[in-house]
Amino acid sequence: MDSSMYLYDVPPVLMEKFCKIIDSGDDSLGWRGLASRIVPSWTEVRRTERLEAIGKSPTRELIWAWAQQNKTVGDLVKVLEDMCHYRALQLFSPQETQYSFPNSGPSKSSRDNPSPPQLPTKPQACDHLLRRHRGN
């Protein structure tokens, strides 16, 4: 997907998948982690909490408001890389560049490609998330 594409031009089906992934996350990988990186004030976070309480997707509301500031797919990818949210990143990555969790074993693409692409983020930047996920 073209990184210069505006978020409001992303196909609705893809944006819906993204919202479901983020809405299902918790703490740093959920909508609050996203909000902490894109929302200008805590007032907006509180407003989003109220929308969630009445059954609306908090991620959809956050992304829609952020998209109105002419944000691009590239802007979102940078935020997701900062969050180390590989699952959501896969939605916006070209098919030949797939993200995988470090130490998760070989993926299908790495078996087919002798030199798999490297993650764009520093592995140590996301180590704390992996340790917490594994319970270490």
Side-chain angles (χ1 to χ4, degrees):
M1 179 166 290
D2 182 14
S3 65
S4 65
M5 176 187 286
Y6 290 112
L7 287 176
Y8 50 75
D9 289 333
V10 172
V13 171
L14 181 62
M15 196 53 73
E16 185 64 26
K17 287 179 184 178
F18 170 74
C19 290
K20 285 181 180 181
I21 288 170
I22 299 296
D23 285 344
S24 67
D26 62 346
D27 296 330
S28 63
L29 294 178
W31 72 264
R32 285 183 175 82
L34 179 66
S36 70
R37 290 166 173 83
I38 67 172
V39 174
S41 72
W42 282 107
T43 304
E44 289 298 312
V45 174
R46 299 291 181 231
R47 184 184 72 80
T48 305
E49 286 173 343
R50 288 193 309 268
L51 292 170
E52 180 185 35
I54 62 171
K56 292 191 175 193
S57 165
T59 304
R60 186 178 301 115
E61 300 299 324
L62 290 170
I63 289 296
W64 178 249
W66 202 48
Q68 300 313 304
Q69 299 170 26
N70 290 329
K71 298 298 181 177
T72 64
V73 169
D75 295 326
L76 180 58
V77 165
K78 287 177 191 172
V79 169
L80 294 173
E81 287 173 347
D82 183 46
M83 294 173 68
C84 301
H85 206 309
Y86 300 116
R87 184 173 172 212
L89 275 165
Q90 287 181 340
L91 294 174
F92 300 101
S93 300
Q95 291 296 3
E96 64 272 4
T97 306
Q98 291 294 311
Y99 291 87
S100 63
F101 287 103
N103 304 324
S104 65
S107 65
K108 182 179 186 289
S109 62
S110 67
R111 286 189 306 259
D112 297 340
N113 184 359
S115 96
Q118 297 295 313
L119 293 174
T121 59
K122 298 176 187 173
Q124 65 271 22
C126 300
D127 281 348
H128 70 282
L129 293 173
L130 291 172
R131 281 192 299 273
R132 188 171 65 180
H133 177 69
R134 290 187 198 135
N136 295 339

